[in-house]
Amino acid sequence: MNVTKSFIFSAALLASSALAGLPALAQGAQRVDVLHWWTSGGEAAALNVLKQNLNGEGVAWQDVPVAGGGGEQAMTVLRARVTSGNPPTASQMLGFDIQDWAEQGVLADLNAIATKENWDKNIPAALQQFSKYKGTWVAAPVNLHSTNWIWMNKKVFDDLGLKPPQNWDEFIGALDKVKASGKTALAHGGQPWQDATIFDSVVIATGGPEFYKKALIDLDPKALGSDTMKKVFERMTQLRKYVDNNFSGRDWNLASAMVIRGDAAVQIMGDWAKGEFVNAGKKPGTDFLCTRFPGTQGVVTFNTDQFAMFKVGADRQAAQQKMATAIEDPGFQSSFNVVKGSAPARTDVSDAAFDDCGKKAIADVKEAVAKETLLGSLAHGHAARAAVKNAMYDVITGVFNGDYSPDQGVKELVTAVAGAKQ
Ligand code: GAL
């Protein structure tokens, strides 16, 4: 071998060995880039289950985390990426946002996989109305969360001789007792989506499921402007008395941590809060208690996290499809949701691996489906489109912070919704 030939040979060798050492991406191996807002301890632990499953299938995970509970910031980043022609393989998405993106024509068609894997049969209609656009599956639902829960520190409750409250008066009685003991009664983060998460529950507890539907889903001006809504706002104002002085702007998981530590007694939050308790090594029934928001048993205000799949080049489609398949695998639905705190998105998943709160979540969903009281959460984009939701957020937060009296709040709500609906 002359010098030139040997040079070429060793350069080729070098190139191939360098390629072998490169991460899978450079070799055209499969990868998904996934935008999401699961950045708290419990959320990240759950997401890891999906990452690992996909890694096992030979799919590398490129993480695009955008912190901020409820996903508002994530949706801003997503808009920028899609607008600049660089959509992720998949993005975590809620309710009506999926429909809005589908309308833009940027989401992929998952019908072939959905048909092969029988999604139509095993995913409840309430979820499908968001996952499908004009008959085409565009998103893979990963869970079924709900917002009408309260989470209690058991020791704080035991020490004060308290039991999980089952109606409004018992709830207020319990909060009063905790406040009198010098502890923070209600752990809360003053962010619009968190205020609205409380609002979901108070509307159900005050007006019942029919009223919730009329006001927050049908957006009936009469219901929005009613005395019942005024009472909802009075109750929101009442709850405000039980939060600590530093509640403004606090992240939801830090509020969960206050209950976990026993610095506060109760958090009103969706069942992703359970993910935080479990991630901190806490056990339901021993360290913490869960119950439906007092007066809402039988109703479930749900939000389902879905991974909306974007139209991507042919080279990225195989990985995208593997991701969709992995998400709807019943085994994954169990192992993921055990960690996340949610019920599975599929109805054919056993509850055996779930703790008592998880079993209750699954049973409550069944009950709500039968009673037709499985209702989309306003706070998490499953009752109304983003424009209306955001208009409501402003009023709810205004009332909670005392900027509007309950009376003014009702009037503002009617006006805000009418403006945003157009
Ligand atoms: C919700 C989402 C949950 C949880 C929560 C807090 O909108 O559905 O999965 O992540 O935000 O970040």
Side-chain angles (χ1 to χ4, degrees), residues 37-38 43 69-70 92 94 143 145 193 252 272 303 305 340 380:
W37 62 92
W38 283 337
E43 290 172 330
Q92 182 189 352
L94 295 174
N143 62 20
H145 269 305
W193 75 269
W252 68 272
W272 47 91
N303 56 308
D305 290 300
K340 186 69 171 69
H380 295 267

Side-chain angles (χ1 to χ4, degrees), residues 328-411:
E328 298 313 333
D329 174 71
F332 165 77
Q333 287 268 334
S334 174
S335 49
F336 174 89
N337 288 303
V338 159
V339 182
K340 186 69 171 69
S342 29
R346 297 176 60 113
T347 48
D348 57 343
V349 177
S350 153
D351 70 358
F354 288 77
D355 61 28
D356 287 349
C357 298
K359 285 189 168 62
K360 175 167 174 52
I362 294 170
D364 285 353
V365 168
K366 274 207 187 106
E367 182 187 347
V369 169
K371 288 187 173 162
E372 296 184 15
T373 53
L374 182 63
L375 300 170
S377 152
L378 182 268
H380 295 267
H382 286 72
R385 289 190 182 256
V388 171
K389 177 190 84 173
N390 290 332
M392 288 209 204
Y393 273 13
D394 288 346
V395 180
I396 296 163
T397 290
V399 170
F400 194 73
N401 289 337
D403 302 336
Y404 299 133
S405 68
D407 230 353
Q408 288 168 318
V410 164
K411 292 190 183 99

